[in-house]
């Protein structure tokens, strides 16, 4: 990533001088929810948190992405809240990659060193039924987040999080990403989360898409934590939901080992064949 796309973050100089909101009734970020999210997703992790600010579509606004990296430490919630306040005034959504990297500028899947949570993005279909299925087979989640979006049927889109007892790294990080992909396949969730570098909206920040301002809201939270091996076992035993994800896929012949080892793969799920397919 070139230096002209990197913001070297000084929270007071760079983002705390934003103009006040012109509308006194405008939706504002919630620092308490941001702090709770940071604890669930980064509280045990070390390194840098990649943060993204994108102008939400459908507002008639333009703006370049803002990329910052903040230390995963006790100051992270305040820094992220400062960035969220700037985003609220600029019509920018605030995302993080839910894992840590070693250096500023790193944001590829291969750069992610630690992740400490399992997440599934429910953005289509019968979302309440999908949530019930997940709770039944994987356990009550640590966080249920209303991401701000709505399906064509009017259902609230959700991010569902399970906090792990410790960060996953190395081979466990690969297993965690495979786990996220398996869960998404079985309930018809967003398959982009098979990749470690997929960004996600931060609860406590403001959703602006289509000119509809809403708080990205923690609907329900708990102090529950989960062991990765136990989550892998539960997900393996979880049946696919009828009519969604892998339950709708037509049977196909499995590729040979040579194909799995030699088929080129581009990052970010750009092709039908991904690392997850190979596994």
């Amino acid at each position: 990533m070139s230096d002209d796309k990197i913001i070297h973050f000084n929270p007071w100089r760079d983002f705390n001088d934003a103009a006040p909101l012109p509308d006194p009734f405008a939706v504002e970020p919630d620092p308490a929810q941001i702090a709770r999210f940071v604890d669930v997703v980064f509280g045990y992790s070390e390194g840098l948190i990649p943060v993204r600010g994108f102008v939400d579509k459908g507002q008639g606004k333009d703006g370049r992405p803002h990329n910052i990296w903040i230390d995963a430490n006790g100051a992270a919630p305040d820094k992220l809240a400062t960035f969220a306040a700037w985003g609220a005034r600029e019509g920018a959504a605030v995302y993080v990659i839910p894992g840590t990297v070693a250096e500023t500028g790193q944001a590829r899947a291969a750069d992610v060193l630690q992740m400490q949570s399992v997440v599934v993005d429910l953005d289509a279909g019968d979302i309440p039924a999908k949530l019930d299925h997940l709770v039944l087979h994987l356990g009550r989640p640590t966080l249920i987040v209303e991401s701000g979006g709505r399906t064509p049927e009017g259902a609230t889109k959700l991010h569902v999080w399970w906090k792990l007892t410790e960060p996953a790294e190395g081979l466990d990080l690969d297993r965690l990403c495979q786990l996220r992909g398996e869960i998404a396949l079985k309930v018809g969730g967003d398959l982009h989360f098979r990749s470690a570098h997929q960004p996600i909206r931060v609860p406590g920040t403001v959703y602006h898409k289509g000119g509809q301002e809403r708080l990205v809201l923690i609907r329900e939270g708990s102090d529950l934590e989960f062991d990765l091996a136990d989550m892998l076992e539960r997900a393996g035993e979880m049946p696919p939901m009828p009519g969604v994800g892998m339950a709708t896929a037509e049977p196909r012949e499995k590729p040979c080992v040579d194909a799995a080892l030699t088929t080129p793969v581009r990052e970010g799920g750009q092709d039908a064949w991904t690392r997850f397919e190979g596994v």
Side-chain angles (χ1 to χ4, degrees):
M1 182 177 292
S2 62
D3 285 343
D4 62 340
K5 294 183 179 179
I6 298 174
I7 302 296
H8 298 284
F9 182 45
N10 180 319
W12 303 115
R13 184 188 68 212
D14 294 331
F15 296 108
N16 242 4
D17 57 355
L21 288 171
D23 180 0
F25 300 104
V27 179
E28 295 195 60
D30 184 340
Q33 293 195 53
I34 293 171
R36 188 166 192 180
F37 172 79
V38 169
D39 176 69
V40 169
V41 181
F42 302 106
Y44 298 146
S45 298
E46 297 178 346
L48 298 174
I49 303 168
V51 184
R52 304 285 175 263
F54 303 108
V55 172
D56 265 326
K57 296 177 181 179
Q59 303 177 83
K61 294 182 177 180
D62 294 319
R64 67 187 180 94
H66 284 71
N67 304 320
I68 66 169
W69 284 257
I70 60 178
D71 289 304
N73 59 24
D78 287 342
K79 291 181 178 180
L80 192 53
T82 298
F83 188 74
W86 165 84
R89 288 157 175 77
E90 296 296 318
V94 178
Y95 291 76
V96 295
I97 293 174
T100 54
V101 299
E103 298 179 7
T104 296
Q106 293 182 334
R108 300 173 304 163
D111 296 327
V112 176
L113 298 179
Q114 293 186 335
M115 301 180 81
Q116 64 169 65
S117 58
V118 179
V119 62
V120 60
D121 180 1
L122 303 179
D123 59 359
D126 189 344
I127 291 176
K130 293 179 180 184
L131 178 60
D132 287 345
H133 190 80
L134 290 169
V135 172
L136 176 64
H137 294 283
L138 300 182
R140 181 187 171 197
T142 311
L143 293 179
I144 301 173
V145 175
E146 297 182 3
S147 65
R150 301 289 187 268
T151 68
E153 298 78 23
T156 299
K157 297 181 181 182
L158 300 177
H159 299 156
V160 187
W161 297 87
W162 293 264
K163 181 180 180 180
L164 298 179
T165 55
E166 61 183 354
E169 51 191 358
L171 290 177
D172 279 345
L173 182 57
D174 293 338
R175 295 185 184 100
L176 173 55
C177 290
Q178 293 165 20
L179 171 63
R180 299 199 314 180
E182 180 179 1
I183 294 170
L185 276 171
K186 287 185 173 181
V187 298
D190 187 343
L191 295 178
H192 287 96
F193 286 89
R194 295 178 296 193
S195 174
H197 75 315
Q198 177 64 24
I200 193 165
R201 286 182 188 266
V202 176
T205 66
V206 182
Y207 171 101
H208 307 268
K209 192 174 288 187
Q212 299 293 319
E213 281 196 352
R214 302 185 185 99
L215 192 66
V216 182
L217 180 68
I218 296 176
R219 174 192 290 183
E220 183 179 322
S222 74
D223 295 324
L224 295 172
E225 298 184 3
F226 299 82
D227 178 74
L228 177 59
D230 185 49
M231 288 291 289
L232 286 163
E233 183 177 351
R234 293 188 193 189
E237 295 174 350
M238 180 175 72
M241 287 188 67
V244 302
M246 64 168 56
T248 64
E250 295 181 2
R252 60 175 178 165
E253 184 178 350
K254 291 182 179 179
C256 65
V257 172
D258 286 344
L261 293 175
T262 61
T263 300
V265 178
R266 293 184 296 172
E267 67 178 358
Q270 299 178 55
D271 310 297
W273 180 276
T274 65
R275 291 183 180 88
F276 188 80
E277 285 285 321
V279 172

